């Protein structure tokens, strides 16, 4: 009995050290999504910065800048679908694809709107 009581402080001391945390797959996928979203955003920003804004309407230039980044958009959509399937394993591939298209569509809409604002500012500075 005394031996068991003497071991309790040793057991409690061993519990104080936390095991090293291993990133679960969801956190790794989230980090990849963030990286891919930043790459997609940077691509659109780069195309907007390089665009000739003197002749065409801002909306047309923004659409062209977003379209130029279509490969990154496609890769991001696939990763979002993968993330959806991980978080919702009961979703079919079609459901995951619909969620991915909607999610990437929101990002694309925001990028296009930001691009229009940037282009209009550049056009106003050129006048």
């Amino acid at each position: 009995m005394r031996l068991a009581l003497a071991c309790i402080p040793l057991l409690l001391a061993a519990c104080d050290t936390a095991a090293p945390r291993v990133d679960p797959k969801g956190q790794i996928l989230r980090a990849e999504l963030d990286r891919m979203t930043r790459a997609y955003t940077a691509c659109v920003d780069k195309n907007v910065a390089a665009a000739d804004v003197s002749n065409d309407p801002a909306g047309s230039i923004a659409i062209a800048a977003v379209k130029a980044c279509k490969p990154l958009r496609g890769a991001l959509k696939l990763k979002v679908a993968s993330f959806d399937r991980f978080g919702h394993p009961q979703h079919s591939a079609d459901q995951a694809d619909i969620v991915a298209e909607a999610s990437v569509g929101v990002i694309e809409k925001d990028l296009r709107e930001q691009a229009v604002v940037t282009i209009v500012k550049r056009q106003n500075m050129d006048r």
Side-chain angles (χ1 to χ4, degrees):
M1 177 78 165
R2 284 184 151 187
L3 182 60
L5 291 175
C7 290
I8 290 175
L10 293 174
L11 291 173
L12 291 175
C15 291
D16 287 343
T17 56
R21 183 176 173 154
V22 178
D23 281 337
K25 185 177 179 182
Q27 290 178 335
I28 293 169
L29 287 172
R30 170 67 80 176
E32 290 175 15
L33 281 174
D34 291 345
R35 181 187 53 76
M36 293 175 82
T37 302
R38 284 191 302 272
Y40 184 37
T41 301
C43 178
V44 173
D45 289 347
K46 181 179 126 187
N47 284 305
V48 168
D52 176 15
V53 298
S54 60
N55 295 323
D56 295 326
S60 297
I61 298 168
I63 289 170
V66 171
K67 280 185 181 179
C69 300
K70 191 173 182 176
L72 290 173
R73 184 196 193 281
L76 179 60
K77 181 182 165 197
L78 289 174
K79 186 58 74 175
V80 171
S82 172
F83 187 73
D84 181 72
R85 291 295 301 269
F86 175 76
H88 303 282
Q90 74 279 9
H91 279 187
S92 68
D94 288 340
Q95 287 173 312
D97 200 43
I98 290 167
V99 168
E101 182 60 40
S103 298
V104 174
V106 169
I107 293 169
E108 182 179 333
K109 179 180 177 283
D110 288 345
L111 289 175
R112 197 170 43 250
E113 289 172 356
Q114 292 172 7
V116 167
V117 170
T118 301
I119 292 164
V120 168
K121 286 180 182 178
R122 285 183 53 202
Q123 288 174 334
N124 288 336
M125 288 176 25
D126 291 345
R127 290 183 183 164

